[in-house]
Amino acid sequence: MTRARELSKGGIGIGLTSIYPGNVVVNSGSATVGSTGKVTFSGAGNVELNQIFSTEYDNYRIILSAEGGAVANNYVAMYMRFGSGTGTLYNSSSIYTQQIYSDGTSTSSSRTTANYFHAMMYSYTDNSGTCVMDVINPNRAFPTRAHWTQAYGTSGIATHTNIGVDSSSTQFTGVTLSKISGTWNGIVSVYGYKAGA
Amino acid sequence: MELVDITPEDSVVPVYLEVLSDEEQAERDAELAQAQAEQEAHEAEKEAKESAKISGMNKLIALGLTEEEAGALING
């Protein structure tokens, strides 16, 4: 058997596994979780995904597709949650985000300190955009780091490349994806990297 | 905070709607206002940097550099 075939069969345990949230909480609108674990939401300001991080995996991938909403041109922030059940919002301003943003030929950078990972996604004029984020060690007693890229717009496109770190060693169990103004529609999926990946 | 079960028939996990008391809603509004203010400050900083870049480019071009040369100096 070739190494590629071994990998495709998960022979040495590398790959992504779909994660089903334990529960989902929205502050408005609606949401549903499909049989593949895909969370589809509509008319929500906040979307909480609870019990997605556990000791089963160290590292996770979150893929977000924003597909319209009310009030354009603002950010989606990612807050962390901890504890069992529907969890508790982590509210310490110990999260640093460094970003490079590029729009046309212009490139710039910034750093923020807040109680959330800044600018998980920017909702453009049509409230559309995508984000691919890897979250490293969220459920370990170790600082959580996130690496992500986002793309938004359909004609005047722009991109952000971000890294963020929470300097505490809180063992997180979930996230709140919060549009800081208005509501939004979209799809979010969470995957766990199998041990060793 | 009250959680109302709004799980649709096709959902494989529970979905809840968060209903806040007036006091909790006020706290949430304050948090969002702060996040909004932080975003606006961030946007203003970004725009100021862009303006400074454009101004610097124009000054370099006025000194005789080509747009490409000025861009290389400004953007590194």
Side-chain angles (χ1 to χ4, degrees), chain A residues 1-11:
Chain A
M1 184 181 290
T2 66
R3 181 162 176 76
R5 284 182 64 196
E6 283 176 5
L7 292 173
S8 71
K9 287 178 172 290

Side-chain angles (χ1 to χ4, degrees), chain A residues 31-48:
Chain A
T32 188
V33 183
S35 59
T36 59
K38 179 174 78 173
V39 180
T40 305
F41 56 90
S42 176
N46 292 344
V47 180
E48 293 176 16

Side-chain angles (χ1 to χ4, degrees), chain A residues 67-154:
Chain A
E67 300 177 355
V71 185
N73 291 316
N74 57 61
Y75 285 102
V76 172
M78 186 176 85
Y79 292 80
M80 302 304 288
R81 305 186 65 78
F82 62 95
S84 59
T86 53
T88 301
L89 188 76
Y90 177 72
N91 200 21
S92 172
S93 292
S94 56
I95 300 177
Y96 302 90
T97 302
Q98 176 73 37
Q99 64 175 318
I100 299 169
Y101 39 85
S102 181
D103 186 348
T105 58
S106 171
T107 301
S108 196
S109 62
S110 74
R111 178 177 298 175
T112 57
T113 307
N115 58 341
Y116 50 81
F117 286 94
H118 179 70
M120 180 182 189
M121 214 199 67
Y122 187 75
S123 71
Y124 209 44
T125 51
D126 59 359
N127 271 302
S128 73
T130 51
C131 169
V132 177
M133 172 187 279
D134 282 335
V135 186
I136 314 299
N137 295 323
N139 194 252
R140 293 183 63 212
F142 199 75
T144 294
R145 287 187 168 80
H147 306 223
W148 71 100
T149 56
Q150 53 170 303
Y152 53 84
T154 48

Side-chain angles (χ1 to χ4, degrees), chain A residues 155-168:
Chain A
S155 55
I157 59 168
T159 181
H160 290 211
T161 301
N162 304 50
I163 58 166
V165 60
D166 171 58
S167 56
S168 78

Side-chain angles (χ1 to χ4, degrees), chain A residues 24 106-107 109-110 116 180, chain B residues 16 38-39 42 49-50 53:
Chain A
V24 173
S106 171
T107 301
S109 62
S110 74
Y116 50 81
I180 67 169
Chain B
Y16 300 104
E38 286 167 358
Q39 180 201 322
H42 175 70
K49 282 183 182 175
E50 287 306 307
K53 271 189 177 182

